[in-house]
Each structure stands twice: as structure tokens, then as C-alpha cells.
Amino acid sequence: MTPTISKVIFVALVIGWYLIRYEYARRSRREKIARSARGPVETALLLISLAGLGLVPLVYVATAIPRFATYSFHPLFAWLGLFFAIAALGMFHLTHRALGRNWSISLDVRENHKLVTEGIYRRVRHPMYSAFWLWAIAQALLLPNWIAGFAGLAGFAVLYFGRVAREERMMLETFGDSYRAYMARTGRVFPSVL
Ligand code: SAH
């Protein structure tokens, strides 16, 4: 494991995520929206998250900027980063497949939206956000730079904590008692310990 391979793994994570998402994003454009919690706040949260998980680390990979924040590379961290990156991509694949036409980059409820509560959604109600946390951890382990490495955790934390309660409110307004019961038997990003 070398610093270059570690950077290549990070870029492969970004490309892998894009390829998984591309097909669902294309298909979901055709699905009509019944209600939405989109707005300027949601757009700002998305942009911050995108900067932290994508723009800042990719600028670092391409240019080594910000140089002052670089620290020495440890192969063990990079190996762990590879493990987290693979786990993140696996989770992305499973969550996109499970959500199918119900997926949205933002907070939308589709016409005939189906509440998914099985498979990867059985014990955890936000497994796609679990996958983004795994990505952010992988980024911190793969990139030996205090800013580029940790920008993912910071950027995604802003999106996650700014969005998850509103998303759950929207789901409760749409699905009522079924979502309430689903919340009672699941954890947000980690299976709840019964
Ligand atoms: N928070 C989920 C989904 C993220 S995608 C996760 O982390 O896995 C965001 C969209 O998914 C929202 O527009 C919402 O309408 C939809 N969604 C969230 N949970 C869902 C579920 N259990 N079943 C179906 N759609 C869901």
C-alpha cells in the first residue's frame, strides 16, 4: 500500500458511487413527485456535503492542496480505508436496489411511493446514510491530510444532522402509523440494540 494507491482507491470510491447512482438517478427523473421538502436549506446542505465528500478531497488528490495540512502516511490506515470503501459501495448498491423508484437525491415522496422496510432496510431506517458515513470514514483513513481527509465527516455531518429529522417528519406525515411502528423497531444508521 502506497500513498498513490490510497488516493486511487478514494477516486475509485467516488467513481463507483457515481456509477451505482447514475442509473437510478436517470430512472427516478421519470417518477412524479407527490410532495417534497426541498428548499434553499436542503440545497445548501447538499452542496456542503458534496464539497466535503467530493470537491475538497478530489482537489487534494489532484494538486496536494492544502499542503500545510498533510501528515505522514500509514499503510495500516489505508488498508482500513479500503475495507470501509468496499463496505460503503456494497451498502450503496443494496440501498439503491432496495429503494428503486422511491429513491431521490433530496427529500421527495413519489406518486405511489412504497415504504421499504425489508432487506437492508429491515433493522436500519437510513442505510444509505450509513453508507455515506462509511465513505466519510474511508476518506479520513485514505487521505493523509487533516483537511481533505476530514472534510467528508464534517460535510456529511452537516447534511445528516440537518436533514434526518425533517426526512422522518415527512415520512411520518406520509405513512403515519406504519412509519411510527417501523421507527420503533429500527435504528437510524445502526441496528438498534433491542
Ligand atoms: N434516508 C434513506 C433514504 C435516502 S434517499 C436512507 O438513508 O437509506 C432519500 C429519499 O428516500 C427521500 O426522498 C424519502 O422519500 C425516501 N425514503 C427514505 N426512507 C424510505 C423508506 N424506508 N422507504 C421508501 N422510501 C424512503
Side-chain angles (χ1 to χ4, degrees):
M1 189 62 81
T2 67
T4 306
I5 295 175
S6 191
K7 285 178 188 163
V8 168
I9 294 169
F10 179 75
V11 174
L13 170 62
V14 178
I15 294 173
W17 166 79
Y18 185 80
L19 291 178
I20 291 170
R21 170 151 293 195
Y22 178 79
E23 187 51 31
Y24 290 96
R26 202 176 61 83
R27 268 188 256 165
S28 77
R29 269 199 288 274
R30 289 200 294 263
E31 300 292 341
K32 291 209 174 61
I33 293 170
R35 65 195 299 175
S36 180
R38 285 183 193 234
V41 173
E42 187 55 30
T43 307
L45 296 179
L46 264 175
L47 289 176
I48 291 169
S49 172
L50 209 69
L53 292 166
L55 188 66
V56 172
L58 289 176
V59 166
Y60 164 75
V61 167
T63 66
I65 290 171
R67 269 176 218 279
F68 72 90
T70 296
Y71 61 86
S72 58
F73 175 79
H74 300 283
L76 179 63
F77 287 172
W79 279 111
L80 278 171
L82 172 64
F83 173 79
F84 277 92
I86 292 170
L89 285 180
M91 292 279 284
F92 275 126
H93 173 66
L94 292 175
T95 50
H96 274 287
R97 202 175 59 180
L99 278 187
R101 60 178 292 282
N102 305 296
W103 176 78
S104 155
I105 192 168
S106 189
L107 294 185
D108 302 322
V109 175
R110 307 274 171 196
E111 275 181 9
N112 303 313
H113 198 108
K114 187 179 169 299
L115 181 63
V116 178
T117 60
E118 288 305 323
I120 191 105
Y121 281 83
R122 192 184 176 87
R123 305 286 305 277
V124 176
R125 56 187 184 277
H126 300 291
M128 198 176 286
Y129 300 157
S130 315
F132 276 113
W133 283 118
L134 292 173
W135 166 326
I137 295 169
Q139 180 178 332
L141 289 164
L142 288 167
L143 306 180
N145 183 284
W146 293 112
I147 292 178
F150 286 89
L153 282 166
F156 186 65
V158 171
L159 176 72
Y160 178 79
F161 291 109
R163 181 195 259 190
V164 75
R166 282 183 306 123
E167 178 166 345
E168 293 187 342
R169 210 174 313 130
M170 183 182 83
M171 299 309 274
L172 279 170
E173 282 164 12
T174 310
F175 296 103
D177 285 343
S178 341
Y179 198 74
R180 219 177 310 277
Y182 178 54
M183 284 175 88
R185 61 174 191 270
T186 51
R188 268 183 169 161
V189 289
F190 206 78
S192 63
V193 182
L194 294 172

